[in-house]
Amino acid sequence: TWMKDKHGNAILDESGVPDGIGLVCECCGELIEEHHKTWMLRHGEWMSVKGLDKNDPYARPYIVGDVEFPSFHLNSLYSPFGFFSWRDAVKEYWDYHLTKDKGILQGFINQTLGEPFKLTGQIVSNSVLHGRREEYDPLVEVPYQCVCVTAGVDIQGDRIEMEVVGHGLNNETFSLEFKVFFGETSSQGGLKGVDSQGNPTAWALLDSYLYSKYKHPSGYILPIECTFIDMGYLADIVRAFCAPRQQSRKIFPVRGSDGWGRGFIEKPKRAHPKWKTWEHVAYVDELKELFYSQLLIDVPGTGYCHFPITDDYTEKYFQELVSEQKEVITHGGKKKIKWVVTPGVRNEPLDCRNYAIAALKAYPIVMENRYKLLNPTDNTTQEITQFMRNMVLQKPDSKRKIGVVSKGI
């Protein structure tokens, strides 16, 4: 436990970690401070309750010495005073509390508490998420908490699907738009971006839409600052599209890869020898784990996922968003955890969301500084930097809605 104010909120020390950390005795309810641990470890008896009949009032745990080779399961809270401290343990948990990052939680449970981390797949139904949609402020295009906008794009043979996501502090996200651009994707349509019938290609529609700008309550205009396009299909077409746009508009190819424990993304060490594109790797297992854990959060704030009440976010969209579950499969005689798609259900919305999240993680931005700039208070000075003056990209708005079809329509 730790010190709390009259409202039950944690009182933090200068490092942002709960202050006054102690252990509450299960028997008497008294607070045990960490410096008492030295005496307790020296004078305590090591007992085991394994096999103990809890219904037998005369049952007694066995003590070290009663058996020849006793063994015990200890967590890091028993670490002697001066080594791994209770504050260290609380800091690990508090990091998870702030970020809702399942990777941090898994490390805390496995390594600090010494307990198995229970795997949980997606348990929020698509109908619950659809019912959780909300009205955004009609006078602006992004909520005030949103400080950066990214996009994730998935390529199919007959269409391109894209989601635009706004990001706030502490992994809070705001879905802005989900669009589908229909058309043959094996060709960009040359310099004019049109097909044999003279219609804009799916690539031309995507290019136009990625110029979109979103009005913030502060008056600033936020563009799509970074875009990841999946190159698992039609890799060279994706490279050809990204190459002339990656420097000025931060539009990059990305390749999804399986694997746990690698983090979320891997930045490229060198450009592609032919196309000169900077190709990132997105570790989709970890990204899905993160996103699905965030969907479980039902209180706006840290880690919460907001969805707007618009035609883009239909019941079909949410059905496809939660289309995967974790399963333990055996491959080559070894068991591994794998995300499996529900039979008969598409998963493009999930892929787009993962790539939008990966784009933010690859983009060098200090979210806290941007938040202060967009939401100045009496205690902060509004610094209008040259970067923010140039946030508006000088492109006409008229091209945005050409041939755009919303998901599920």
Side-chain angles (χ1 to χ4, degrees), residues 62-318:
Y62 70 76
I63 304 174
V64 173
D66 293 349
V67 293
E68 185 176 2
F69 299 109
S71 62
F72 293 90
H73 172 195
L74 295 178
N75 60 43
S76 297
L77 301 180
Y78 287 90
S79 181
F81 187 67
F83 291 85
F84 186 85
S85 69
W86 289 350
R87 184 184 182 280
D88 294 331
V90 170
K91 183 181 185 303
E92 289 183 358
Y93 173 79
W94 201 251
D95 287 343
Y96 163 72
H97 173 75
L98 293 176
T99 63
K100 296 298 186 291
D101 184 336
K102 272 292 189 66
I104 296 176
L105 178 63
Q106 181 173 357
F108 175 75
I109 292 176
N110 286 157
Q111 300 175 24
T112 302
L113 299 185
E115 298 176 358
F117 181 73
K118 296 181 180 179
L119 293 171
T120 56
Q122 178 278 130
I123 61 174
V124 179
S125 70
N126 56 286
S127 59
V128 168
L129 293 175
H130 183 265
R132 209 168 74 182
R133 297 180 305 160
E134 60 194 272
E135 292 280 3
Y136 290 176
D137 187 345
L139 300 180
V140 296
E141 295 177 298
V142 294
Y144 77 91
Q145 302 101 316
C146 176
V147 300
C148 182
V149 179
T150 66
V153 181
D154 185 76
I155 309 300
Q156 299 294 317
D158 61 351
R159 68 193 184 280
I160 296 175
E161 304 197 18
M162 174 197 73
E163 185 173 30
V164 181
V165 180
H167 304 271
L169 300 180
N170 300 319
N171 293 329
E172 189 172 13
T173 59
F174 301 83
S175 292
L176 300 179
E177 298 184 276
F178 187 88
K179 299 300 178 184
V180 181
F181 310 102
F182 287 104
E184 177 62 44
T185 57
S186 61
S187 172
Q188 295 186 41
L191 295 176
K192 294 183 178 180
V194 296
D195 60 20
S196 60
Q197 305 299 318
N199 299 315
T201 64
W203 288 103
L205 296 173
L206 172 66
D207 185 41
S208 294
Y209 219 92
L210 289 177
Y211 279 114
S212 296
K213 304 177 288 289
Y214 302 87
K215 184 179 180 181
H216 189 271
S218 65
Y220 286 119
I221 304 298
L222 303 182
I224 299 173
E225 296 186 56
C226 188
T227 300
F228 271 11
I229 302 179
D230 182 16
M231 58 181 292
Y233 179 68
L234 298 175
D236 279 350
I237 299 292
V238 174
R239 291 182 177 116
F241 180 84
C242 294
R245 298 169 175 86
Q246 62 182 4
Q247 183 172 354
S248 60
R249 296 168 60 188
K250 302 297 184 291
I251 299 175
F252 299 102
V254 64
R255 185 183 299 278
S257 177
D258 297 335
W260 297 90
R262 300 181 182 180
F264 298 111
I265 64 167
E266 181 179 327
K267 295 183 178 180
K269 296 180 175 63
R270 60 184 65 86
H272 188 275
K274 176 181 177 181
W275 297 98
K276 308 305 179 185
T277 47
W278 294 93
E279 301 170 3
H280 295 70
V281 176
Y283 293 113
V284 294
D285 287 335
E286 297 285 3
L287 287 166
K288 292 173 184 177
E289 179 77 5
L290 171 65
F291 176 57
Y292 276 159
S293 70
Q294 292 174 331
L295 288 181
L296 297 173
I297 301 170
D298 57 6
V299 178
T302 298
Y304 187 81
C305 300
H306 298 261
F307 299 97
I309 301 177
T310 66
D311 292 339
D312 291 352
Y313 293 92
T314 63
E315 291 187 5
K316 182 182 179 182
Y317 165 85
F318 289 105

